[in-house]
Amino acid sequence: MADIMKIANSLLALLLFQSLFLIGSNANAANTHIDSAMKLYKSMEINKAVAKLIINIDDINTLNSVEKIKYALIINKNLSIYRDIYSKSLDTQQIFLESLINDKGKGKSLVAPLFLTEIYILQKELNKAEQQLNKFKENLKRNNKNAALEPATNIYNAWIALVKGDTKRFKETQKKIDLDDPLSAMALDVIQILTTGKSTIELSFIKAAEDKYIIEDEIKSVRFANYAIRIYSHRGELSKARSIVKLLDQKRPSYTEEISQFKLIKFYEPSLIDSVATFYYKLAKSILEELEKDTKYHDMAIYYLSDLELITSNTTSAKRFKEQMLTLTRLPKSLSSLLAIRQNGHAYLYGKTTRAYQAWEKAVNNAKNNPSIGAEAILMCIYLDASCPTIVQTAQLKAENGKSKLFENLNTNVGRYFLLKKENIKAMRLLENALDRGNAGGILMNEPILLLNLAEIYRLNKRYSESLQIYFSLGQNFPILRQVQDAVQGEYLFRQRSTGSNIVF
Amino acid sequence: MLFRVSTYLDNEVPDQISYFSIANLETHVIEEYMKHFLYKTILFFTFVSVSATTMAITENTLIYGETKRPDTLDPYTSREASSLRLTQLMFNGLVSINERQEVEPDLATSWIIGNDKKVFTFQLRRDVTWHPYNNITTPFTAKDVVNTVNLLQHSKTISPLKEIFSNISKSEVIDDFQVKFTLKNPAINPIAMFNFKILPYHALKNIPYLNKSSDFANNPIGTGPYIFKKFNSNRQVTLVANKKYYKGAPNIEQIILKPFSDNNIMNQALSFNNLDMIVSVNPRHLSELQADARFSLISYNTLSYSFFGYNQNNKILSSQLVRKAISHGINREEMLRAFFNNQGTIISGPFAPGSWAYNLDVMPDEYNPLKSIALLQKAGYTRTSNGFLDSAGKLLSFRLRVPIEKNNESTKRVILAYKNFMKKIGIKINVDFIERERWKRAIFKDHKFDITFANWSFDDSSDISTLFHSASNMAWGNNFISYNNPEVDKLIAQSKISIDHQEKRTINHLLHKIIAQDVPYTFLWSLTQYAAYTKRLSNVNIHPYQFFYNVHLWKKN
């Protein structure tokens, strides 16, 4: 995915050329928005590009095929970034919340265990989740200051039961949930979507709840927005989901605990990033599926549909794409050269791992001449959480020896791989190499995925100020990063050991 | 190059920033040509001077460049980053903080913390000696530690680091290698505060307090990896390896700090292999160095920012409306892009964005000259075709005093742009570029200025207390703008005594909000700092705010 910018550029040139012949001059208002979104996209302001599309284009059916491709391309890219932000958010919030709970300072947070419960469930650490949930319940008994959050205890209890497959416990807990309360009813539906893939809530019920939680175009509850986006997206009600995403201030905390006049703690919806990412996934998918019907763009649509499934490591469609990608012939060269690597991504998801490894190894062996293809092969290892030690070892050598800008993505992806495998020292070296080979015209001119991972590796190496500086810059384009920034600030404060000095220069 | 400074000052300033104007392109080309010629001339002399010194320079010498000359070399009396960096090479604390934010033993081997978290007893190393003084080597003992605290607590000692010692109520020698401290209040990072640098008792026993003019400030004696050897007439400093350094003799035999008055020349010196390292690369040279395979670039210490500070003793500038009007009149994004190649971020308040204390909800004042004009009118000033008039009917004008060391392109560009932006909103700025020492005296001691331009750099504590607390409004205090807001004073005091992390964060976020609203400074940007060094150097690991941490492990091949 990190290589998508280069592919995009050549693809766009081709598409624009084709569009002159295929579409003629049916200029419409949407064109302007697509064009300005593309400009933002090219200057790495991906989320701003997405905001432009979401806010200004109400009906995707008014777009022609080329515009649809561009639209989907931008959304795909944003989705891959949101997926990465989501994993960073879970890790950083977990560390911050654990620090808060273990803090021996006066006036302990009573709410932190509840938010940590959700983080642990999402990280599949159910015993720890259970412990924190019980801790929160104890806190409520001692102090009812945060009683508004009490209904969430039954939800988390039910969620843990569902994940554990404990039907009896789930049913018993379900009875305790007040289904007349919109947030509780929606939360119950969301946890079922996440565990069983089923959603049964009446959509009219959510629509009615909107009157309560959206006042004068302002969303009053982030939790409501989170649930509504997830349910609407899951049910394919994309225009409804879009209307919520449009209004949502992604920087807002879900809850602020006021321990004293001078001690406020903000808590964020851990799963919000994933909900918004789900919306992007469904949106891009719906556009591309529509585009599949256009014979001229059929192959392109399939390619990007397969991209979506790789970003989300979706095994259900692996068989389809494993076979269908072999039939694609009408692709620009920049994409067809990546076809074998991506096709093997689906093969890997389908269980044909040996074949996939061989294809990726071949690509990496050729990385000296074609670093983009090598980068793409490593990207597959990242997306699919595949264990590729030999391939990555070769790629690392090529990446470090490649001094030109062409090797930026290879360095980024090898660095990301090491980060995933917790080889932090190597990860930092490779990611710094990538930045070194990147755009010197300002940090934000660089690939957001590179910056995200660099910020994360700096955090892991306790270089907090550098991590926060990058997050600060990136946060200007991705407001949803606020929850990560807040957590890293908190971690930094707990870890910093300086005592105060300032110098003028 | 000096000629160009006066040209800028004497010229009538155009409405638009000249750097973007095509009409000025020709002049610019001529200036560039002249600059090129001058570089060659200056470089020739630089090389001759370096060659002359090379006779004394061994291969195993690290020569690094700074744009600021070091003033003093003791760890306490200087405010200059270049001086403080040097002191990291020569001195140690009882503990140190590594790049992973962990406290490590340094001159102390261990410590015991009392139950009330106020009493700390340190066991000291027995194998440490001071650098030779009058050819005599003296062992490091507890007396050195206690004397350091006494010196820093003396009312006549002026030091930007004095605040660290304010929480120590008592320091006692238990025996030669044991020292005990009692704090007034428990602290949030109690052991870490003992990373202050220790001074030698035997060299300072006859001095009751520290000042810049003492012999020690120019002939320092420490326990660190490098020994001070000499200053030359250009304030070039030579240090030699301390073979008896307790952590082991440094790999590099000699370190030379070479001050440059011009960033371009310093960069050229690196390119011509006359320097091994530049501690802070000008953003305009990043791409060039990035493309040069002979050098490594490394980013570090981002806890710093630039600002315009407004002297509140000036009656007009004491108005928040006027300060706010000025802030809205400055296009910071454009300056960052044009002068610093976008290598930084615009900030909204008194903390660097890489700090835990930065309030992310506070947005920087947007560039809006119309708003500036409206605010000035609201403040009661009359607008004429020439600009705003003060109550005496004179054009609203301020004196902007800026330190300039012969020639600093980036600073000059920022100042000229500021002057232009102010002209656009009807304010006249008289720029006064003065020599750095004079500037420090004018700003910190005499408070004789209306507006100044400077940068602050912080460690991880992000402590702004001395910058904005009214108690620091004194000669040589950091609150040189005479800012006084009782609410801010109260919050700073509260933050200082708080030992609760989240409480500290909430208070600092609140401080950020209030100070941003008060606009005692126009907070500009935080630049990404880069060091560049030859790949002949290895084991280089730049500490976020202690540049030469573990320098004894660096190697030159």
Side-chain angles (χ1 to χ4, degrees):
Chain A
M1 202 65 202
D3 201 39
I4 203 158
M5 298 304 298
K6 285 194 187 88
I7 300 163
N9 290 339
S10 49
L11 167 66
L12 281 169
L14 177 84
L15 288 174
L16 290 170
F17 178 73
Q18 286 177 337
S19 66
L20 289 172
F21 296 94
L22 300 172
I23 292 136
S25 58
N26 61 339
N28 53 39
N31 263 335
T32 327
H33 300 303
I34 295 277
D35 287 348
S36 49
M38 279 313 296
K39 274 185 195 152
L40 289 165
Y41 174 81
K42 284 181 191 168
S43 64
M44 299 288 171
E45 297 174 271
I46 316 289
N47 202 49
K48 284 185 184 167
V50 169
K52 192 156 266 306
L53 298 176
I54 302 284
I55 291 168
N56 295 303
I57 300 174
D58 286 332
D59 185 1
I60 286 154
N61 292 322
T62 60
L63 303 178
N64 63 42
S65 297
V66 175
E67 289 165 348
K68 280 180 186 163
I69 282 275
K70 289 180 186 174
Y71 194 119
L73 183 72
I74 295 170
I75 300 289
N76 272 23
K77 175 70 182 172
N78 211 38
L79 170 64
S80 71
I81 298 169
Y82 266 62
R83 294 279 300 177
D84 211 14
I85 294 177
Y86 181 51
S87 74
K88 271 51 179 183
S89 174
L90 291 183
D91 292 347
T92 53
Q93 289 203 62
Q94 180 179 327
I95 286 176
F96 171 55
L97 293 173
E98 285 171 348
S99 302
L100 264 184
I101 288 164
N102 296 328
D103 186 26
K104 294 186 172 60
K106 62 176 182 183
K108 279 178 90 81
S109 166
L110 302 174
V111 172
L114 184 73
F115 282 82
L116 189 56
T117 302
E118 183 168 337
I119 299 276
Y120 281 144
I121 298 173
L122 293 167
Q123 302 268 47
K124 300 188 175 50
E125 296 200 58
L126 298 183
N127 291 339
K128 286 184 178 177
E130 200 114 48
Q131 281 168 15
Q132 292 305 323
L133 185 58
N134 291 334
K135 202 177 268 184
F136 178 69
K137 286 181 192 164
E138 285 300 312
N139 290 346
L140 273 180
K141 276 183 204 162
R142 278 189 276 121
N143 186 329
N144 68 350
K145 207 173 166 183
N146 303 294
L149 294 170
E150 190 171 12
T153 57
N154 286 326
I155 299 295
Y156 289 131
N157 205 1
W159 195 355
I160 293 168
L162 270 177
V163 179
K164 282 186 168 174
D166 187 341
T167 318
K168 190 179 163 210
R169 179 177 159 187
F170 172 71
K171 284 190 173 159
E172 278 168 13
T173 315
Q174 196 181 15
K175 285 178 202 158
K176 295 179 195 163
I177 295 171
D178 175 8
L179 295 177
D180 291 331
D181 168 42
L183 282 184
S184 296
M186 289 166 76
L188 182 63
D189 201 59
V190 165
I191 62 170
Q192 290 182 92
I193 290 172
L194 291 171
T195 45
T196 65
K198 286 179 190 154
S199 167
T200 52
I201 195 167
E202 288 290 331
L203 294 182
S204 57
F205 186 72
I206 305 174
K207 192 73 197 149
E210 286 183 16
D211 295 338
K212 184 177 173 187
Y213 294 111
I214 304 177
I215 298 165
E216 292 174 352
D217 281 350
E218 191 190 331
I219 293 176
K220 298 291 176 187
S221 162
V222 180
R223 188 159 275 206
F224 163 77
N226 180 16
Y227 298 155
I229 293 166
R230 174 80 68 175
I231 296 167
Y232 281 146
S233 300
H234 184 77
R235 302 275 281 269
E237 297 285 343
L238 296 180
S239 65
K240 290 192 174 91
R242 189 173 69 90
S243 66
I244 309 278
V245 172
K246 234 165 105 170
L247 296 178
L248 179 64
D249 174 2
Q250 298 186 6
K251 294 197 296 279
R252 268 188 60 182
S254 177
Y255 189 78
T256 302
E257 184 180 14
E258 190 173 342
I259 295 168
S260 69
Q261 186 194 354
F262 293 125
K263 187 171 179 178
L264 309 176
I265 306 174
K266 292 174 183 168
F267 296 93
Y268 295 81
E269 277 298 283
S271 56
L272 177 69
I273 304 172
D274 192 44
S275 296
V276 180
T278 303
F279 163 68
Y280 291 142
Y281 168 77
K282 295 277 185 174
L283 182 62
K285 195 172 177 185
S286 74
I287 297 167
L288 292 164
E289 282 174 348
E290 185 64 30
L291 207 60
E292 256 189 285
K293 294 170 195 158
D294 184 330
T295 47
K296 284 193 172 60
Y297 293 97
H298 170 270
D299 285 10
M300 197 88 82
I302 298 292
Y303 184 90
Y304 283 112
L305 271 171
S306 90
D307 183 44
L308 270 179
E309 305 303 355
L310 288 172
I311 293 171
T312 50
S313 304
N314 190 353
T315 50
T316 54
S317 56
K319 187 170 186 289
R320 175 195 163 188
F321 288 110
K322 177 180 78 70
E323 285 157 12
Q324 204 170 6
M325 284 187 83
L326 290 172
T327 67
L328 306 183
T329 52
R330 302 188 64 178
L331 286 175
K333 200 181 166 203
S334 55
L335 293 187
S336 59
S337 63
L338 304 177
L339 208 53
I341 292 167
R342 296 189 152 246
Q343 190 264 336
N344 274 295
H346 294 286
Y348 180 92
L349 280 173
Y350 191 66
K352 306 278 183 194
T353 53
T354 313
R355 203 185 91 183
Y357 283 133
Q358 282 166 353
W360 297 336
E361 192 163 9
K362 193 178 158 195
V364 164
N365 282 334
N366 195 30
K368 191 181 169 189
N369 303 320
N370 200 338
S372 299
I373 292 182
E376 199 70 9
I378 306 299
L379 188 65
M380 292 302 105
C381 301
I382 297 167
Y383 278 168
L384 310 176
D385 199 17
S387 178
C388 311
T390 322
I391 299 170
V392 168
Q393 200 178 8
T394 313
Q396 182 192 352
L397 208 64
K398 313 249 179 198
E400 294 195 285
N401 288 334
K403 303 295 176 198
S404 78
K405 187 167 168 38
L406 291 173
F407 287 84
E408 178 193 341
N409 290 333
L410 187 60
N411 274 285
T412 300
N413 290 348
V414 176
R416 284 175 73 188
Y417 180 88
F418 284 134
L419 180 57
L420 280 174
K421 302 297 172 194
K422 301 191 185 340
E423 292 192 56
N424 293 349
I425 292 175
K426 281 186 193 168
M428 188 155 81
R429 193 169 72 232
L430 270 294
L431 290 165
E432 283 186 334
N433 279 348
L435 189 66
D436 195 39
R437 288 148 180 73
N439 194 324
I443 192 131
L444 282 179
M445 297 297 286
N446 284 288
E447 165 66 54
I449 293 271
L450 160 63
L451 298 180
L452 260 178
N453 285 278
L454 194 59
E456 177 65 356
I457 197 66
Y458 282 150
R459 179 188 74 80
L460 288 167
N461 284 299
K462 310 280 190 289
R463 289 168 63 173
Y464 294 111
S465 60
E466 284 152 282
S467 171
L468 278 172
Q469 175 91 14
I470 295 173
Y471 278 130
F472 181 77
S473 300
L474 209 48
Q476 292 168 20
N477 287 346
F478 292 91
I480 206 149
L481 266 176
R482 176 62 62 86
Q483 51 182 274
V484 179
Q485 291 173 269
D486 203 85
V488 179
Q489 272 196 354
E491 185 187 338
Y492 183 10
L493 179 55
F494 277 111
R495 304 286 185 279
Q496 77 86 15
R497 292 288 176 267
S498 305
T499 47
S501 74
N502 24 60
I503 39 177
V504 73
F505 64 98
Chain B
M1 304 307 261
L2 279 170
F3 172 73
R4 286 194 69 210
V5 179
S6 57
T7 310
Y8 280 126
L9 299 182
D10 295 341
N11 274 355
E12 187 58 42
V13 179
D15 277 345
Q16 299 297 318
I17 303 174
S18 59
Y19 308 102
F20 313 121
S21 151
I22 292 171
N24 277 333
L25 195 61
E26 216 172 297
T27 323
H28 187 68
V29 169
I30 295 166
E31 283 181 348
E32 284 302 314
Y33 176 80
M34 288 300 291
K35 251 162 82 176
H36 189 66
F37 173 75
L38 282 168
Y39 284 158
K40 283 193 166 176
T41 315
I42 293 164
L43 278 172
F44 172 77
F45 287 112
T46 307
F47 300 155
V48 169
S49 95
V50 171
S51 307
T53 40
T54 339
M55 283 181 283
I57 297 174
T58 63
E59 249 312 282
N60 193 10
T61 297
L62 162 66
I63 309 176
Y64 74 96
E66 295 255 19
T67 50
K68 304 277 186 322
R69 293 172 180 206
D71 50 1
T72 57
L73 294 183
D74 71 273
Y76 295 107
T77 59
S78 179
R79 290 167 192 279
E80 298 286 355
S82 57
S83 294
L84 293 174
R85 261 191 287 272
L86 269 175
T87 65
Q88 290 159 17
L89 292 162
M90 296 183 283
F91 294 90
N92 298 87
L94 292 181
V95 298
S96 62
I97 300 157
N98 67 20
E99 73 274 29
R100 294 176 59 81
Q101 302 288 333
E102 296 150 350
V103 174
E104 287 181 338
D106 197 348
L107 294 178
T109 53
S110 60
W111 45 86
I112 299 163
I113 306 173
N115 289 337
D116 59 356
K117 306 271 166 68
K118 288 189 351 188
V119 177
F120 299 84
T121 308
F122 288 87
Q123 299 293 329
L124 306 182
R125 295 190 72 93
R126 292 162 185 264
D127 56 351
V128 178
T129 54
W130 290 99
H131 300 159
Y133 177 60
N134 296 334
N135 292 324
I136 299 166
T137 306
T138 310
F140 156 74
T141 67
K143 209 187 260 185
D144 299 309
V145 181
V146 171
N147 190 56
T148 302
V149 177
N150 291 343
L151 282 168
L152 266 296
Q153 287 187 329
H154 194 284
S155 59
K156 286 189 178 172
T157 293
I158 294 169
S159 166
L161 301 176
K162 201 167 175 172
E163 186 64 25
I164 296 170
F165 299 87
S166 62
N167 194 24
I168 300 175
S169 67
K170 205 163 152 193
S171 48
E172 302 161 76
V173 172
I174 306 292
D175 59 39
D176 274 358
F177 298 103
Q178 221 180 159
V179 62
K180 187 165 113 181
F181 294 99
T182 309
L183 302 188
K184 290 175 191 163
N185 299 300
I188 201 159
N189 294 316
I191 295 301
M193 72 177 277
F194 295 99
N195 74 342
F196 58 81
K197 307 291 187 204
I198 307 299
L199 302 174
Y201 169 75
H202 63 287
L204 293 161
K205 60 186 172 194
N206 297 323
I207 299 174
Y209 58 91
L210 290 175
N211 67 41
K212 288 182 157 211
S213 53
S214 72
D215 180 53
F216 185 79
N218 285 299
N219 291 291
I221 295 153
T223 49
Y226 284 89
I227 301 171
F228 173 75
K229 190 175 172 193
K230 64 176 180 187
F231 256 133
N232 79 2
S233 56
N234 193 34
R235 300 297 276 178
Q236 175 174 307
V237 181
T238 305
L239 308 176
V240 292
N242 176 7
K243 301 262 164 65
K244 291 182 178 166
Y245 185 46
Y246 85 87
K247 287 184 183 174
N251 293 318
I252 295 174
E253 283 171 13
Q254 217 174 191
I255 293 185
I256 295 175
L257 178 163
K258 194 168 175 52
F260 285 80
S261 54
D262 186 300
N263 256 313
N264 296 317
I265 296 173
M266 183 165 73
N267 196 54
Q268 293 285 334
L270 183 71
S271 298
F272 281 93
N273 295 323
N274 283 287
L275 282 181
D276 299 305
M277 175 181 255
I278 291 177
V279 296
S280 180
V281 176
N282 186 313
R284 295 169 69 202
H285 297 137
L286 279 176
S287 324
E288 188 188 321
L289 288 171
Q290 193 181 32
D292 195 329
R294 295 174 301 155
F295 303 111
S296 296
L297 273 174
I298 189 163
S299 66
Y300 70 100
N301 181 17
T302 48
L303 291 178
S304 60
Y305 61 77
S306 308
F307 64 92
F308 283 102
Y310 304 110
N311 191 344
Q312 323 251 320
N313 292 327
N314 177 307
K315 202 178 162 199
I316 300 171
L317 288 171
S318 69
S319 156
Q320 185 265 358
L321 284 175
V322 174
R323 299 193 302 267
K324 195 82 175 164
I326 291 174
S327 276
H328 279 294
I330 306 166
N331 190 340
R332 290 171 286 178
E333 281 85 0
E334 190 173 328
M335 290 201 275
L336 186 64
R337 192 171 50 245
F339 310 146
F340 299 101
N341 198 24
N342 257 339
Q343 298 295 336
T345 36
I346 303 295
I347 58 165
S348 65
F351 300 101
S355 158
W356 52 265
Y358 194 94
N359 186 336
L360 297 160
D361 290 329
V362 181
M363 291 294 117
D365 288 334
E366 80 280 9
Y367 173 56
N368 187 344
L370 291 176
K371 194 169 181 178
S372 300
I373 290 165
L375 285 167
L376 287 169
Q377 282 169 334
K378 193 177 170 190
Y381 296 99
T382 315
R383 194 179 177 204
T384 69
S385 56
N386 291 329
F388 277 95
L389 301 180
D390 65 17
S391 54
K394 285 185 183 166
L395 209 58
L396 207 57
S397 67
F398 301 110
R399 180 160 66 153
L400 168 60
R401 306 196 87 171
V402 187
I404 191 89
E405 288 178 308
K406 290 183 187 166
N407 199 333
N408 184 328
E409 288 293 327
S410 310
T411 305
K412 275 195 309 186
R413 284 163 188 246
V414 170
I415 299 306
L416 182 61
Y418 182 78
K419 184 173 171 165
N420 283 326
F421 285 129
M422 289 302 99
K423 192 181 177 192
K424 270 191 181 175
I425 61 166
I427 292 175
K428 189 171 187 320
I429 298 292
N430 300 307
V431 184
D432 188 7
F433 283 108
I434 51 176
E435 186 274 325
R436 194 164 181 86
E437 282 308 309
R438 260 186 71 210
W439 173 79
K440 277 197 271 187
R441 183 165 282 273
I443 304 298
F444 285 96
K445 182 174 177 286
D446 303 330
H447 301 183
K448 280 190 178 165
F449 69 103
D450 296 328
I451 302 174
T452 193
F453 171 73
N455 311 284
W456 280 119
S457 174
F458 304 86
D459 67 15
D460 286 306
S461 69
S462 290
D463 185 352
I464 57 161
S465 59
T466 62
L467 278 58
F468 297 105
H469 197 286
S470 60
S472 297
N473 174 17
M474 57 181 169
W476 296 113
N478 281 344
N479 183 3
F480 50 81
I481 54 165
S482 304
Y483 177 65
N484 187 346
N485 179 336
E487 195 185 357
V488 167
D489 284 356
K490 201 175 135 193
L491 287 170
I492 285 174
Q494 186 97 21
S495 172
K496 285 219 92 86
I497 58 166
S498 175
I499 51 168
D500 184 291
H501 292 95
Q502 278 306 312
E503 185 177 74
K504 232 177 167 59
R505 175 149 76 145
T506 306
I507 294 169
N508 280 282
H509 282 185
L510 199 51
L511 275 169
H512 184 138
K513 192 175 165 190
I514 296 168
I515 292 171
Q517 187 55 34
D518 265 356
V519 210
Y521 296 166
T522 292
F523 298 99
L524 296 171
W525 43 68
S526 178
L527 296 178
T528 310
Q529 303 278 339
Y530 286 89
Y533 58 90
T534 165
K535 287 189 176 156
R536 291 180 66 202
L537 288 176
S538 54
N539 287 358
V540 176
N541 185 10
I542 308 285
H543 190 288
Y545 55 92
Q546 293 178 60
F547 193 87
F548 287 117
Y549 177 79
N550 270 350
V551 67
H552 65 289
L553 301 175
W554 294 14
K555 275 185 182 167
K556 189 174 175 189
N557 304 313

